Amino acid sequence: MTATDRSARLLVGLLAAAGAAHVVAPKQFDAIVPEVLPGSPRAWTHASGVAELLLAAGLAVPRTRQVSAVAAACFFAGVFPANVKMAYDWRHKPAPLRALAYARLPLQVPLVLWAAKVGRDAAR
């Protein structure tokens, strides 16, 4: 297995695990859905979980990897407002929880870059 394949498979695993968590245990994610979004937080939580599962499936198939990787990069950028909401909402929590919420903010950048790299590698 090449490093490129390994990277894609790791991204598949991350998205599949996150998607499953959103669908199986949605309550923890409902709280970070921005209020400006229409509809219920649960609907958005489930929708994002399904999106993650679909992205994982698309990345798992070499033929759809490139377009799925671009979509994953967009997805990672798109969920950033939820991480901002979590950081804001957790600003008065104990330091370890606050640190976790704040750490999620810059984490989106490497996720976007990782997905973009998987897409570039798939184009070769």
Side-chain angles (χ1 to χ4, degrees):
M1 173 186 318
T2 68
T4 299
D5 290 335
R6 192 172 311 112
S7 180
R9 288 182 185 200
L10 286 170
L11 188 54
V12 167
L14 174 82
L15 283 163
H22 279 77
V23 172
V24 173
K27 186 176 180 182
Q28 63 188 355
F29 301 102
D30 292 346
I32 66 171
V33 173
E35 289 91 6
V36 299
L37 294 174
S40 73
R42 180 61 51 91
W44 284 101
T45 297
H46 281 151
S48 65
V50 169
E52 288 166 325
L53 292 169
L54 291 172
L55 289 167
L59 286 163
V61 179
R63 198 160 102 189
T64 58
R65 185 169 292 154
Q66 184 179 8
V67 71
S68 297
V70 171
C74 292
F75 176 83
F76 288 137
V79 299
F80 185 71
N83 293 343
V84 171
K85 182 181 182 317
M86 181 180 181
Y88 180 80
D89 289 348
W90 287 26
R91 68 191 181 283
H92 299 299
K93 294 213 180 233
L97 292 176
R98 226 178 21 248
L100 174 68
Y102 295 158
R104 289 182 63 153
L105 296 172
L107 179 63
Q108 292 307 115
V109 173
L111 288 174
V112 169
L113 296 174
W114 182 14
K117 182 174 181 344
V118 167
R120 282 191 310 276
D121 291 347
R124 294 181 196 170

